[in-house]
Amino acid sequence: MTARQRWHGRTAGTTAVAGLVAWVCVGATGCSWSGAAAEDARGAGDPVETLRHAADRLMDAGSSQARTSMEMATGGTRVTIRGEGVYDYRRQLGRLKVMLPQDPSGQSEHRPITELLAPGALFMKNRGAGVPDDKWVRVDTAGLSDGNLVTGGATDPYAAAEVLRGTRAATYLGRTEVAGTSVRHYRGTADLGDAARRASAGGRAALRAAATGFATPEVPFDVYLDDQGRIRKIRQRFSFVNGRQRDAVAVASTALLYGFGTPVEVRLPAAGDIYAGKIAEE
């Protein structure tokens, strides 16, 4: 089975992210927060409430550039699918160029897949599998068992933020940097069912599908917010069963957001440009 087959089969592996909270011991008084860390912790507010509103802060920002990665492992082979593009949070429209990994033999290259992200739909071009080069494939995300958090090889950045609306528990771990920007690091767990109930109208059905389709509705995450409360980096771990195997596997999805305010123009395909034929298995 090739790496591309594994992607279309949605098999996966997991990685983890570690964090550190700094303490300072002051003389005979024992250990306490340093002044700067204590002040920052107070300024961070309630972590759960802060994260539940992170999607709103992206809406305020309007748009951004995005880089994504999705890490999977099965049968002793680890693959990473990478994407890059732009996203309009107010219209919930995005465009990503998704790069599939090479086959394990390294003998073949895959053309990048262009993906258009829209409320309730995923459009893919250069999908292969018998689809003409000039046609798009349209997928109803509410009909996917994972709500397209995994299927497309890149989690929709706004969908990733809306998962945080279901935050059940979260801990503030202190300040660090992401791509040269000072950020606050949080770690926690979200519930997809709760996220679906609090989600925007455009994302509700897909998250509801994910809540019942994943092996567990719980999503562990690490997220990094800038001083405006905007997500700069988010890493989420999903437990997934694809129907071709009994055991749940895991996918680690990461999005890096930057260039806020970038102009975004996304045109969805006309009906005549969408492939209506059968898609072959690869």
Side-chain angles (χ1 to χ4, degrees), residues 200-237:
S200 63
R204 194 170 299 139
L207 287 175
R208 189 180 297 123
T212 58
F214 278 115
T216 171
E218 292 186 351
V219 180
F221 63 80
D222 280 79
V223 64
Y224 303 79
L225 307 183
D226 64 18
D227 288 340
Q228 288 73 50
R230 303 173 301 193
I231 296 171
R232 290 288 182 151
K233 182 179 179 181
I234 183 168
R235 186 173 181 84
Q236 296 169 325
R237 275 83 74 192

Side-chain angles (χ1 to χ4, degrees), residues 47-58 60 161 164-165 229:
V48 171
E49 285 303 309
T50 295
L51 297 177
R52 284 180 178 176
H53 293 285
D56 299 327
R57 303 291 77 79
L58 290 182
D60 294 340
L164 296 181
R165 295 192 191 278

Side-chain angles (χ1 to χ4, degrees), residues 117-130:
L117 311 169
L122 166 68
F123 298 87
M124 295 181 287
K125 197 171 188 179
N126 295 335
R127 166 62 172 77

Side-chain angles (χ1 to χ4, degrees), residues 31-114:
C31 289
S32 64
W33 288 100
S34 68
E39 182 178 356
D40 191 48
R42 288 193 297 270
D46 175 25
V48 171
E49 285 303 309
T50 295
L51 297 177
R52 284 180 178 176
H53 293 285
D56 299 327
R57 303 291 77 79
L58 290 182
M59 191 79 72
D60 294 340
S63 64
S64 79
Q65 295 172 269
R67 286 201 295 268
T68 67
S69 69
M70 190 167 284
E71 300 171 19
M72 312 175 183
T74 184
T77 301
R78 181 176 299 278
V79 297
T80 301
I81 300 168
R82 301 190 185 278
E84 186 169 0
V86 292
Y87 200 96
D88 182 328
Y89 300 104
R90 291 172 184 164
R91 296 192 298 154
Q92 296 181 33
L93 294 175
R95 183 179 63 254
L96 294 174
K97 181 182 289 185
V98 176
M99 301 293 297
L100 300 181
Q102 286 187 336
D103 292 331
S105 64
Q107 296 299 311
S108 64
E109 292 279 351
H110 301 294
R111 290 187 304 167
I113 295 175
T114 299

Side-chain angles (χ1 to χ4, degrees), residues 10 141-149 190-197 203-219 238-243 248:
R10 292 174 282 179
T141 55
L144 297 172
S145 62
D146 67 303
N148 194 38
L149 292 173
D191 181 271
L192 288 168
D194 286 351
R197 285 186 286 273
R204 194 170 299 139
L207 287 175
R208 189 180 297 123
T212 58
F214 278 115
T216 171
E218 292 186 351
V219 180
F238 303 105
S239 184
F240 187 70
V241 177
N242 69 12

